[in-house]
Every structure is written in structure tokens, then in C-alpha cells.
Amino acid sequence: MKIVVCIKQVPDNNNVKFDPHTHNLVRTNVAGRMNPFDQNAIEAALDLREANGGDVILLSMGPDSTVETLRDGLAMGADEAYLLSSRAFAGSDTLATGYILAQAIQKIGAVDLILFGRQAVDADTGQVGPIVAEELTLPQATFVTKIASSDAQHVTVIRDLDQALQTVELTLPAVATVRGELNQPRYETPINIQNSFKKPLTTWNEKDLVLDQQRIGQAGSPTIVRKIYAPEPVNRQAVALPEDPDRAASELLKILQANGLI
């Protein structure tokens, strides 16, 4: 089974900056780490490889510093990695990003399963996985919390929709996004960290892929951020309620009514 895991490098802290003109997050020279949900996707791919054989390939789009995050994934046990890095990709929204990733997956070729984390913690959209599935016209399952079974032709997964569980059988090739409840990602051992530097890591730019230049970067991103601002600080004041439950409930209702909350 040939599995591609798409991962993303996200900011390592909350001290992020935005471009005042494009309103996009500035990722250059920003310390990053692997998106936590993507670690679950890598762990799922490694488990499937152990059960069925095959290869686990990492794919990411971002600045050159993303190499460090890809090395972390290789240290977990992935076999090889690809980085999509170019100024031409800068400013890509989820639609453009999904398109570029899909074209890269086509170039990798003969992929059986494509895994994503459920969402990236910096934007929280959860859109890229489904967009890639649409671009490649592949069946998909989102919010996967368990991989029930797998073989060379199918994978059966359980989706957690919060109010219900759904069992879905996907005919391969297919796309799936996974939730954190799926597994506990393995740690990087010193020997695996050392070996990660011996594994292939290839960088591609826009010239290495078959791309419509109008569908990448800022030009290929229909999402428009009109305004970015920091919310005004809220002054909060604690109010002590009576110990008696009936009086406390009565006082609480009065406060809520006075503030127009009920």
C-alpha cells in the first residue's frame, strides 16, 4: 500500500504576524512545528504499512523551513518526503493549496491512500483534504476515529460526527482526514532521528509540476480577507452570589436580565 500523508507546518507560538497588504499569515522566518492532527495521520499510515506493507510518503507545502517538520515525520518512521516550496505558491488559500497538492500527488503516482489531519490548528478550516479528494475525483471520509479494516482494495473506517458514528468502506485509492482520537502518535527515537537524515527528501517548485498558473498563489485564491484586527479586551468582574441555592438562582437571573442576556 502506497500512502501519502499531507502535513502542514504551523506556528510554534501565538506571536504571529500578518502581512498588512495581503492579510495573510507571515510564515517566513517563523518557528514552526508539525500540525498535531497530522501526527495522528502519520501514525495511522505507519500502522497500515505495518499491517499491509508498502511505503509512507510525506507531502507538505510551505517555506524552506518546513524541511524540519518533514524530518520530524521521517523520524516517526515515514519512508520519504516531498516539499512544495516556491514564491509562486505564496498566498495560496485552501482551494489553491488543495489544487497544488493534488498535482503533486499525481506526479508521485500510483497512490493508494491519502491521509490528512482533520484540520490545521492555525486556520481550523478542515478544507484541504476534501478539496484534494475533489481535485483527484476520489472517494473520501472525514473525521475518522478508527480504521476498522484494510486490504489492497478497500479500507473501512469509522467517522465520529459528534452526534453519531458512521461506518464507511472506501474503495482505494481514496482520501481520509483523521481526528486526534484515532491513535497516540509514536515518539521519535534517537536512532530514528539519526536515520531520518538518510531518507530521501525532495523539493519541488511550480516548474516541477503541471500547473495552471492562474490557480496557484494569490491569483488562484478566491478567498479574500477584508480585515484583521485584535479583539478589544474585556473587563471582567466577579460577582459573589448568595450561598443559598434559591437566592443564588434569583440573583443570577436578575443579573442576566439586567445585562440583556435573557
Side-chain angles (χ1 to χ4, degrees):
M1 184 178 287
K2 191 173 184 179
I3 306 171
V4 168
V5 184
C6 293
I7 69 174
K8 184 179 182 182
Q9 179 173 277
V10 297
D12 198 21
N13 56 57
N14 293 326
N15 296 321
V16 297
K17 296 181 180 179
F18 292 87
D19 186 301
H21 302 292
T22 65
H23 295 155
N24 290 325
L25 181 68
V26 176
R27 299 186 184 275
T28 306
N29 299 322
V30 175
R33 62 187 176 95
M34 188 186 302
N35 178 51
F37 292 114
D38 298 344
Q39 293 178 307
N40 299 109
I42 294 175
E43 181 64 32
L46 296 175
D47 290 341
L48 287 169
R49 185 189 63 187
E50 291 168 1
N52 301 291
D55 298 296
V56 174
I57 301 169
L58 306 181
L59 176 63
S60 187
M61 188 174 87
D64 292 342
S65 61
T66 307
V67 165
E68 298 177 10
T69 295
L70 287 168
R71 290 289 181 201
D72 288 338
L74 292 172
M76 287 180 65
D79 299 290
E80 61 178 309
Y82 291 86
L83 171 62
L84 309 178
S85 184
S86 171
R87 290 300 305 169
F89 301 152
S92 293
D93 65 0
T94 55
L95 187 64
T97 298
Y99 168 67
I100 296 168
L101 290 174
Q103 296 305 107
I105 291 167
Q106 285 190 320
K107 180 168 182 174
I108 292 171
V111 175
D112 298 298
L113 183 62
I114 305 161
L115 295 178
F116 291 81
R118 63 172 287 179
Q119 65 201 58
V121 296
D122 57 352
D124 284 331
T125 67
Q127 296 174 352
V128 175
I131 288 172
V132 168
E134 182 68 19
E135 288 286 346
L136 299 175
T137 62
L138 296 178
Q140 62 173 299
T142 54
F143 305 118
V144 172
T145 54
K146 183 177 180 180
I147 299 177
S149 64
S150 61
D151 56 41
Q153 287 79 39
H154 305 89
V155 61
T156 301
V157 301
I158 297 177
R159 305 175 65 217
D160 188 338
L161 306 178
D162 292 333
Q163 301 300 319
L165 297 178
Q166 181 185 50
T167 300
V168 179
E169 182 182 77
L170 300 173
T171 300
L172 301 180
V175 176
T177 71
V178 305
R179 294 176 57 135
E181 298 92 333
L182 175 64
N183 53 41
Q184 178 63 48
R186 65 192 67 186
Y187 290 104
E188 304 168 22
T189 64
I191 187 64
N192 284 344
I193 293 173
Q194 182 178 358
N195 289 337
S196 71
F197 289 89
K198 302 175 184 179
K199 296 179 179 180
L201 198 161
T202 304
T203 299
W204 286 338
N205 59 34
E206 76 279 9
K207 297 178 181 178
D208 297 305
L209 304 175
V210 179
L211 296 169
D212 179 349
Q213 300 300 309
Q214 296 303 309
R215 296 190 62 188
I216 67 175
Q218 200 76 41
S221 301
T223 304
I224 299 174
V225 180
R226 297 292 185 186
K227 183 179 180 182
I228 294 176
Y229 62 93
E232 294 293 331
V234 177
N235 294 322
R236 302 184 185 278
Q237 182 179 1
V239 177
L241 298 174
E243 293 184 3
D244 179 72
D246 292 334
R247 291 181 57 202
S250 177
E251 288 294 323
L252 179 58
L253 287 174
K254 290 178 181 178
I255 294 172
L256 295 176
Q257 289 171 342
N259 286 274
L261 299 176
I262 59 173

